Amino acid sequence: MTALSQLFEKTRGENRAALIGYLPAGFPSHQECIDAVTAMVEGGVDAIEIGFPYSDPVMDGPIIQAAADLSLSQGTGAKEVFSTLKAVTSLGTPAVVMTYWNPIERYGVENFAHSIAEAGGSGVITPDLTIEEALPWRAAVKKEEINSIFVVAPSTKDDRLAQVTAECSGFIYAASLMGVTGTRTSVSSSAKDLVTRIRKVSTTPVSVGLGVSTREQAHEVAQYADGVIVGSAFIRLLQESQSMGEGLIRVRELAQSLAQGVRR
Amino acid sequence: MTVNSSQQSEILGHFGPYGGRFVPEALIEALDSLTAAYESAKADPTFAAELDHLHKTYTGRPSIITEVPRFAEHAGGARIILKREDLNHTGSHKINNVLGQALLVKRMGKKRIIAETGAGQHGVASATAAALMGLECVVYMGEEDTKRQSLNVARMKLLGADVVPVTQGSKTLKDAINEAMRDWVTNVDTTHYLLGTVAGPHPFPTMVRDFHRIIGVEARAQVLELTGKLPDAVLACVGGGSNAIGIFHPFIDDTSVRLIGLEAGGSGVASGKHAATITGGTPGVLHGTRSYVLQDENGQTVESHSISAGLDYPGVGPEHAYLSDIGRAEYQAITDDEAMQAFSLLSKTEGIIPAIETAHALAGAIKIGRELGPDSTLLINLSGRGDKDVDTAARYFGIPL
């Protein structure tokens, strides 16, 4: 069982949702990313998603695009992603990598899964890998005993929802709305409907992402989901802060606030 | 060897190892609906009749063929025949696909279309179809391209479309596609993404090809009628590859006919500043499909370079990748300079100003004609006219504006 799966057993036992934080590797710089993730964990984030910055992030809004561009301009690649992952898992925190498919294919499907396992990672979120194209990936993930996390959306029909969620382990990533990543003033009502539909076809934990940025939103989502994913809100704080010191303080404060939110 | 590549595209749209769907799950339902709508339209004779009527009364089909002997003197004396897609309404082959998809949009009951454009030809064609059919139209165009192709930006606006300059990344076609996909993920209930080339997730590579097959079907019959035999080679420029697949596809089973795609070699493939994806790229996934991609060792897309905005794309349609791998089609790179010389040559010898995209195919014809000699016949897809390129060409040749 991966550290991620153990986490959900624990949070279910504590009758709360897990708080999952996202940050792209190499943002704002290689070491500052690790510092920021450490601050997130200190503030109460339960698990970390390390993003593999990609040149063509079609699922991401302007905040993550800008972060990925900055990271890529500093030369972030697979090596930096895995060393960041290793730094996070060394804190004793469950961590996964979130990446578009092409960097995996370029690195080598089996090698990628192996490097994840070697860095102590629990799995990989693949937002643009469809189950029809996932056969080699599923074999690699199974061999390395890590989690494969696919994203489902409000538009996903019931029969397909059953097929996709059957391929998920660790958790199922439920996109709260039809759209790209970014902060929103409210959590779409489609999130709750989607989670309800997932519950009918799967017992795997469900985490909700896209548009969650405040304690109130985290609290709302925690009423029906097993995990709450926050990304753009953390990135925005780092982008807006005058110094890294200020950024780390604000990131830790947001993590603390969200951590209160996920407790029902 | 008999290769019917259409047999390769099964339900998931694969061409050998290429094609498929690599997209957010949010888009699967829309792609499935589109596939179903397209399959039902294909089986419906009224759809074919409607499209045929538009082609005859709006596009101006069939487009003619023109033999160009004065140009051919510079191409080893080969017999050279142009398929005149430049004479279509809106000035390029793009209208064939756009009208087909716009009719589908009406069948699906959607009211809004979005499109990406590089040179602006697909954007203009989309804006035109939207005006004709009363649809809302938003065109995403790289900011860099809005400058290179300002005339087409104005045309789209005159036709009632919103043109959104894309300021991310390299500010060219690739980034316009990213932005269009983000719009589509967000507005998929009401919106159809009218993709302009034979790339992207299934069913686009197959469907867009089918809408452009009319180019090759007409040209094959026209050349047979004129010359009494099949051409020795069929040439077309390749960016995403829509005009090329349109003219190639009906010739695929004619194994005596060489199919030659001319990619944008920019400053030369060796310089790294090019858009010759098959010649200089490697297999990978970009914009929802597996094909050849210009990418680095981490799988990051590398920026492409070409004097031609319409070919300035670091990907290529998956069927071309497959045709290249199995050896049924050949792909060669033409540099900016070679393309501009051919641009000038056709203008001055035949009174036809081609699009700079198309000039890459003409430069290829000069090389292949010299290789095959005076007994050979070459068919070239003259995919677009050069009015939109007057600024760029004047600057290139030092003509004051």
Side-chain angles (χ1 to χ4, degrees):
Chain A
M1 186 184 275
T2 63
L4 184 66
S5 295
Q6 287 169 15
L7 170 68
F8 281 105
E9 286 206 342
K10 177 174 151 243
T11 54
R12 276 182 169 178
E14 292 171 3
N15 190 32
R16 69 173 178 99
L19 175 60
I20 303 168
Y22 167 92
L23 212 59
F27 171 80
S29 69
H30 184 60
Q31 184 55 46
E32 286 168 329
C33 172
I34 294 169
D35 294 345
V37 167
T38 305
M40 285 157 74
V41 170
E42 287 167 0
V45 170
D46 297 298
I48 296 291
E49 289 175 16
I50 295 298
F52 194 137
Y54 178 54
S55 52
D56 297 277
V58 297
M59 270 289 282
D60 288 307
I63 295 173
I64 293 182
Q65 283 176 47
D69 282 350
L70 177 64
S71 175
L72 287 174
S73 73
Q74 300 169 120
T76 303
K79 185 167 155 270
E80 289 73 23
V81 170
F82 292 124
S83 76
T84 307
L85 180 66
K86 174 94 182 157
V88 180
T89 58
S90 301
L91 299 171
T93 303
V96 297
V97 164
M98 182 158 187
T99 179
Y100 291 90
W101 179 249
N102 198 45
I104 296 183
E105 188 153 310
R106 189 69 175 149
Y107 191 83
V109 171
E110 289 179 10
N111 288 344
F112 197 93
H114 183 70
S115 291
I116 293 284
E118 209 170 52
S122 292
V124 184
I125 304 170
T126 49
D128 64 346
L129 178 65
T130 54
I131 52 170
E132 288 80 3
E133 304 290 347
L135 213 57
W137 176 241
R138 272 150 54 188
V141 160
K142 196 173 168 192
K143 182 171 170 231
E144 299 293 342
E145 298 181 334
I146 58 173
N147 296 137
S148 61
I149 300 158
F150 291 86
V151 181
V152 293
S155 63
T156 310
K157 284 191 166 171
D158 287 342
D159 52 346
R160 189 168 173 90
L161 205 54
Q163 292 168 10
V164 178
T165 57
E167 303 300 339
C168 291
S169 62
F171 68 84
I172 297 158
Y173 193 126
S176 70
L177 48 77
M178 296 299 289
V180 296
T181 59
T183 59
R184 307 284 199 288
T185 49
S186 64
V187 177
S188 165
S189 62
S190 57
K192 190 176 181 181
D193 298 342
L194 175 58
V195 175
T196 305
R197 290 197 295 126
I198 295 171
R199 299 292 191 203
K200 289 179 186 157
V201 294
S202 175
T203 55
T204 306
V206 182
S207 298
V208 171
L210 266 58
V212 185
S213 61
T214 67
R215 174 182 166 169
E216 291 70 30
Q217 290 170 337
H219 189 69
E220 183 190 335
V221 172
Q223 304 310 310
Y224 55 83
D226 304 288
V228 178
I229 304 169
V230 179
S232 296
F234 284 117
I235 294 169
R236 197 174 57 182
L237 290 180
L238 293 168
Q239 288 167 337
E240 286 172 355
S241 294
Q242 299 301 313
S243 69
M244 194 60 197
E246 181 197 334
L248 292 176
I249 291 168
R250 292 177 69 184
V251 162
R252 195 177 292 109
E253 285 171 357
L254 176 62
Q256 285 166 347
S257 167
L258 292 166
Q260 288 166 3
V262 298
R263 278 154 175 89
R264 296 171 186 129
Chain B
M1 180 180 65
T2 298
V3 179
N4 184 346
S5 75
S6 64
Q7 287 170 353
Q8 299 295 326
S9 73
E10 294 159 17
I11 190 141
L12 297 172
H14 287 124
F15 305 92
Y18 302 110
R21 281 181 183 169
F22 295 84
V23 291
E25 195 62 32
L27 292 179
I28 294 294
E29 169 55 20
L31 292 169
D32 282 347
S33 305
L34 178 61
T35 307
Y38 177 54
E39 291 302 325
S40 120
K42 263 204 304 195
D44 179 356
T46 61
F47 180 82
E50 255 183 299
L51 187 55
D52 187 55
H53 181 73
L54 278 176
H55 279 330
K56 287 202 174 89
T57 62
Y58 192 72
T59 309
R61 301 210 74 92
S63 63
I64 59 171
I65 56 170
T66 301
E67 191 161 359
V68 286
R70 278 171 44 76
F71 177 83
E73 285 172 20
H74 302 265
R79 193 167 184 186
I80 295 188
I81 298 162
L82 307 181
K83 175 63 173 168
R84 300 294 304 280
E85 292 296 299
D86 61 319
L87 298 179
N88 292 340
H89 180 46
T90 72
S92 82
H93 70 289
K94 293 290 186 188
I95 192 81
N96 302 324
N97 166 49
V98 163
L99 290 176
Q101 286 197 48
L103 284 179
L104 270 183
V105 172
K106 279 178 68 181
R107 283 171 80 99
M108 291 188 292
K110 290 186 173 178
K111 301 278 183 233
R112 178 175 181 265
I113 59 170
I114 55 174
E116 83 294 342
T117 199
Q121 293 303 89
H122 175 60
V124 166
S126 297
T128 299
L132 177 68
M133 300 191 195
L135 303 167
E136 184 190 346
C137 178
V138 176
V139 180
Y140 291 95
M141 188 170 188
E143 192 180 43
E144 187 67 26
D145 292 337
T146 62
K147 289 176 195 158
R148 288 197 272 195
Q149 305 286 346
S150 55
L151 186 68
N152 270 343
V153 174
R155 286 171 79 194
M156 288 183 267
K157 289 181 177 170
L158 289 170
L159 290 160
D162 281 335
V163 180
V164 180
V166 176
T167 56
Q168 285 91 350
S170 58
K171 304 179 176 62
T172 60
L173 181 56
K174 144 183 124 61
D175 308 283
I177 295 177
N178 290 342
E179 207 53 27
M181 287 184 78
R182 291 182 189 115
D183 181 318
W184 203 28
V185 169
T186 308
N187 300 301
V188 68
D189 275 354
T190 59
T191 299
H192 173 68
Y193 180 13
L194 209 161
L195 190 70
T197 192
V198 285
H202 178 66
F204 286 107
T206 311
M207 179 177 71
V208 176
R209 174 199 71 202
D210 290 351
F211 287 138
H212 282 306
R213 276 187 97 250
I214 192 165
I215 304 170
V217 169
E218 286 175 6
R220 191 174 179 280
Q222 288 166 321
V223 170
L224 277 173
E225 191 188 336
L226 180 72
T227 70
K229 61 185 180 65
L230 289 168
D232 296 288
V234 178
L235 291 83
C237 64
V238 177
S242 65
N243 92 80
I245 209 77
I247 198 162
F248 286 177
H249 203 261
F251 287 97
I252 283 179
D253 290 335
D254 301 320
T255 48
S256 68
V257 180
R258 281 173 71 181
L259 305 176
I260 305 171
L262 290 311
E263 298 192 299
S267 309
V269 174
S271 73
K273 289 195 169 298
H274 65 88
T277 309
I278 294 180
T279 311
T282 47
V285 169
L286 176 64
H287 293 145
T289 191
R290 182 184 285 118
S291 185
Y292 281 79
V293 180
L294 298 180
Q295 58 182 330
D296 69 12
E297 71 281 4
N298 281 303
Q300 309 291 347
T301 311
V302 171
E303 278 181 31
S304 55
H305 297 269
S306 171
I307 192 169
S308 143
L311 304 183
D312 199 351
Y313 180 57
V316 65
E319 193 165 8
H320 286 294
Y322 178 68
L323 291 173
S324 174
D325 277 12
I326 63 169
R328 180 62 193 96
E330 314 156 45
Y331 297 84
Q332 302 178 11
I334 296 294
T335 64
D336 287 350
D337 289 339
E338 289 170 329
M340 293 313 290
Q341 293 316 312
F343 174 96
S344 173
L345 188 63
L346 189 74
S347 303
K348 287 177 177 163
T349 57
E350 301 286 351
I352 299 170
I353 301 179
I356 295 177
E357 290 77 16
T358 310
H360 289 70
L362 294 163
I366 295 171
K367 290 185 178 180
I368 300 296
R370 287 173 184 169
E371 183 189 318
L372 298 182
D375 295 333
S376 63
T377 303
L378 310 185
L379 170 66
I380 298 155
N381 194 2
L382 200 79
S383 54
R385 67 181 185 220
D387 307 40
K388 68 184 177 57
D389 293 315
V390 168
D391 266 0
T392 305
R395 244 177 287 125
Y396 181 87
F397 293 113
I399 301 166
L401 284 170

